């Protein structure tokens, strides 16, 4: 059985065949798929963020606010590499899942291989740029003095692992596209466990401080890459030999999704960088609080972050199989999951707000700002979660540029003027509150827009 759909771009190669039964998400409860993939994805994705949180925790034990602030500055640089990697991973999961849903296993293998090669090459280029321009970039963010020196040395030590992390992230996305959320989880979970073990050894036993944390990260990233290769090469036998000719052939469909997806992902570190820039005038205590919040949020709301990577394959396979009712239901289920989880988590952050501040030895203004976030701002992440779900839908429905516009709209229009006004009238607390308000506005708008897209794509009777 074969079927062509006129609205589908030619390079997607949509063909329905009897092998669609190999696509696990085109049958069964969509909510069950959403919950299962999100739970597995959250463990894996939260592991990445737990790595950052572990770094911050162990380094905070050194009792130096300059080091904590340096982690905040350096985190923006490393998070940018992660965002680029996730952007290409989104292209991989969209293309591979569509082909799996349509029954085109060989083309799915092609896209899994070429997207991995592309991820490695692009991350290598970014690593080179950072190695040459780390000081200028960190200075632009507002780092100076000891905080600048510490952040610069941390980045230089960490950057060799950027390529390995990019490849590992890409492999985890491809595994999700195949429906193997468990092995995708193993990649990042293994990195988190190894980092948690190696961090105190290098930081305290070898007395290497921030550089010790960076070395521990690089070792863990290499191990995660090996786990990913085992899953794709040994278990699924789903990777071909690297070929630049194949990359040239597949670059257009990959780039058509990866470029807007990368821009979408880069909007987040841009917003984080601007937030750091906005609170920098209020002193290193405010920057330290921003660093703590910046690492607390992904761990607390990692389940919400994982929705984008978990909902995407489900939507992609059903879109490939032309099952639009299931696409719509997946969106609804994802939004329900986001709302319930955020309500529970923000309540826990409020209850334990003082204990959280104590955990990181926060004092003075740093403590006040961390408690303020847990009390008043955390609930706004329900709307950020809604936008994550909407972004996943756009990326997998051939409208990746739409998620780019919404994310950058939130990172600019929904962040800069809000932060300027909030900071001017209410200080660092005003910056946090105003940015949260922008998130609420863009979260609601993105949900309305994606349902409009689904309605337009669905064949009219």
């Amino acid at each position: 059985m074969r079927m062509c759909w006129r609205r589908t771009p030619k390079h997607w190669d949509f063909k329905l065949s009897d092998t669609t039964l190999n696509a696990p998400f085109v049958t069964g409860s969509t909510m069950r798929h959403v919950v299962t993939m999100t739970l597995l994805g959250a463990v894996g994705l939260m592991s990445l963020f737990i790595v950052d949180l572990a770094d911050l925790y162990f380094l905070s034990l050194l009792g130096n606010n300059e080091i904590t602030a340096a982690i905040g500055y350096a985190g923006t640089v490393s998070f940018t590499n992660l965002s680029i990697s996730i952007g290409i991973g989104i292209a991989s999961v969209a293309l591979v899942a569509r082909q799996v849903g349509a029954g085109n296993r060989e083309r799915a293998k092609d896209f899994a291989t070429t997207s991995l090669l592309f991820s490695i090459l692009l991350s290598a280029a970014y690593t080179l740029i950072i190695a040459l321009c780390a000081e200028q970039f960190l200075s632009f963010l507002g780092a100076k003095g000891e905080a600048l020196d510490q952040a610069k040395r941390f980045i230089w030590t960490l950057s060799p692992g950027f390529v390995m992390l990019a490849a590992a992230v890409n492999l985890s996305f491809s595994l999700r596209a195949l429906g193997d959320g468990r092995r995708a989880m193993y990649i990042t979970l293994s990195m988190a466990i190894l980092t948690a073990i190696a961090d105190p050894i290098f930081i305290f036993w070898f007395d290497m401080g921030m550089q010790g944390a960076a070395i521990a990260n690089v070792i863990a990233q290499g191990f995660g890459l090996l786990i990913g290769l085992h899953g794709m090469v040994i278990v699924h036998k789903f990777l071909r030999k690297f070929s630049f000719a194949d990359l040239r052939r597949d670059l257009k469909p990959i780039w058509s999704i990866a470029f807007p997806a990368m821009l979408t992902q880069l909007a987040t570190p841009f917003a984080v960088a601007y937030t750091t820039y906005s609170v920098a005038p209020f002193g290193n205590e405010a920057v330290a609080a921003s660093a703590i919040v910046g690492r607390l949020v992904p761990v607390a709301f990692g389940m919400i972050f994982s929705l984008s990577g978990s909902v995407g394959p489900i939507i992609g396979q059903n879109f490939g199989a032309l099952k639009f009712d299931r696409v719509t239901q997946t969106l609804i289920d994802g939004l329900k999951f986001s709302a319930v989880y955020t309500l529970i988590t923000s309540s826990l952050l409020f209850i334990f707000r003082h204990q959280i501040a104590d955990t990181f030895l926060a004092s003075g203004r740093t403590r006040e700002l961390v408690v303020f976030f847990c009390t008043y701002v955390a609930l706004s992440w329900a709307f950020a979660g809604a936008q994550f779900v909407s972004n996943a839908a756009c990326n997998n429905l051939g409208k990746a540029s739409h998620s780019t516009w919404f994310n950058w709209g939130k990172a600019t229009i929904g962040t800069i003027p809000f932060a300027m006004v909030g900071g001017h009238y209410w200080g660092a607390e005003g910056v946090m509150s105003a940015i949260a308000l922008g998130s609420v506005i863009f979260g609601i708008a993105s949900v309305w827009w994606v349902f409009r897209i689904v309605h337009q794509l669905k064949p009219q009777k």
Side-chain angles (χ1 to χ4, degrees):
M1 177 179 66
R2 291 181 180 270
M3 181 183 296
C4 295
W5 188 36
R6 62 183 178 84
R7 292 189 182 184
T8 306
K10 292 180 180 178
H11 59 253
W12 286 2
D13 296 334
F14 263 19
K15 297 173 184 176
L16 288 182
S17 72
D18 293 329
T19 56
T20 52
L21 291 176
N22 292 327
F25 300 135
V26 300
T27 58
S29 167
T30 55
M31 178 59 89
R32 179 172 58 82
H33 291 318
V34 168
V35 172
T36 301
M37 289 296 290
T38 301
L39 289 174
L40 291 173
V43 173
L45 187 60
M46 285 172 68
S47 299
L48 286 176
F49 298 131
I50 289 173
V51 167
D52 283 340
L53 193 64
D55 288 340
L56 184 63
Y57 171 73
F58 287 121
L59 290 171
S60 71
L61 297 180
L62 298 175
N64 187 336
N65 256 350
E66 298 292 335
I67 290 179
T68 307
I71 282 287
Y73 291 121
T76 303
V77 176
S78 58
F79 192 64
T80 299
N81 176 69
L82 179 60
S83 297
I84 292 173
S85 305
I86 291 175
I88 302 175
I90 287 171
S92 177
V93 77
L95 292 167
V96 173
R98 288 172 188 166
Q99 300 301 332
V100 170
N104 301 324
R105 184 177 179 84
E106 295 307 309
R107 284 297 286 149
K109 286 184 179 181
D110 291 338
F111 283 124
T113 305
T114 51
S115 66
L116 174 60
L117 176 57
F118 184 57
S119 180
I120 291 172
L121 294 175
L122 201 59
S123 183
Y126 176 77
T127 301
L128 179 61
I129 293 172
I130 288 302
L132 297 175
C133 306
E135 183 169 356
Q136 292 86 339
F137 187 78
L138 292 167
S139 298
F140 175 76
L141 292 178
K144 55 187 176 181
E146 183 184 351
L148 172 61
D149 292 337
Q150 292 279 3
K152 183 172 58 177
R153 288 195 293 270
F154 181 79
I155 287 299
W156 280 345
T157 309
L158 182 65
S159 59
F162 283 173
V163 174
M164 292 187 291
L165 177 62
V169 168
N170 187 272
L171 291 168
S172 71
F173 272 90
S174 292
L175 286 167
R176 288 192 187 99
L178 299 179
D180 193 350
R182 182 167 54 90
R183 286 190 175 84
M185 173 190 71
Y186 289 162
I187 296 174
T188 45
L189 183 60
S190 65
M191 287 193 286
I193 293 173
L194 189 56
T195 301
I197 296 172
D199 252 352
I201 295 175
F202 283 94
I203 293 173
F204 301 112
W205 191 12
F206 292 141
D207 195 24
M208 298 180 69
M210 285 189 70
Q211 279 58 56
I215 292 171
N217 273 268
V218 172
I219 294 172
Q221 288 159 2
F223 188 75
L225 174 57
L226 293 177
I227 296 293
L229 288 173
H230 177 268
M232 287 294 287
V233 177
I234 305 299
V235 177
H236 289 283
K237 297 179 173 58
F238 216 81
L239 287 181
R240 306 187 190 280
K241 291 183 179 179
F242 282 156
S243 166
F244 287 101
D246 289 346
L247 178 59
R248 285 194 297 271
R249 179 198 63 205
D250 292 341
L251 187 58
K252 183 178 179 180
I254 292 174
W255 188 247
S256 68
I257 301 174
F259 180 65
M262 282 188 291
L263 289 180
T264 300
Q265 295 301 313
L266 288 172
T268 299
F270 174 85
V272 171
Y274 188 82
T275 301
T276 304
Y277 173 82
S278 297
V279 300
F282 302 104
N284 275 342
E285 284 189 324
V287 175
S290 179
I292 292 172
V293 170
R295 278 148 180 80
L296 175 64
V297 162
V299 174
F301 297 105
M303 199 77 71
I304 302 303
F305 279 76
S306 73
L307 269 174
S308 181
S310 303
V311 171
I314 303 171
I315 292 175
Q317 286 192 9
N318 283 287
F319 183 41
L322 306 182
K323 296 189 175 184
F324 285 92
D325 289 343
R326 292 179 63 81
V327 170
T328 301
Q329 190 58 50
T330 301
L331 277 171
I332 294 172
D333 291 342
L335 293 171
K336 287 179 181 178
F337 187 94
S338 173
V340 172
Y341 178 83
T342 306
L343 181 62
I344 295 172
T345 303
S346 58
S347 298
L348 291 174
L349 289 176
F350 172 75
I351 293 170
F352 296 105
R353 59 194 184 281
H354 296 296
Q355 290 88 335
I356 291 170
D358 292 340
T359 299
F360 294 97
L361 305 180
S363 59
R365 283 293 288 153
T366 301
R367 179 185 178 84
E368 292 175 3
L369 291 172
V370 171
V371 171
F372 179 84
F373 171 83
C374 294
T375 304
Y376 300 106
V377 181
L379 188 59
S380 67
W381 276 88
F383 298 90
Q387 188 165 350
F388 290 155
V389 174
S390 301
N391 287 344
C394 289
N395 291 329
N396 285 271
L397 294 173
K399 304 291 182 180
S401 61
H402 294 214
S403 62
T404 301
W405 283 108
F406 270 103
N407 259 34
W408 275 99
K410 175 184 171 182
T412 53
I413 300 172
T415 298
I416 296 174
F418 285 81
M420 291 175 65
V421 173
H424 178 75
Y425 287 103
W426 300 287
E429 288 91 345
V431 172
M432 289 183 176
S433 301
I435 291 175
L437 177 59
S439 179
V440 171
I441 294 172
F442 275 85
I444 294 172
S446 65
V447 170
W448 172 78
W449 188 258
V450 77
F451 276 106
R452 182 173 177 268
I453 290 174
V454 173
H455 177 73
Q456 290 175 343
L457 289 175
K458 186 175 181 179
Q460 302 301 313
K461 295 181 180 179

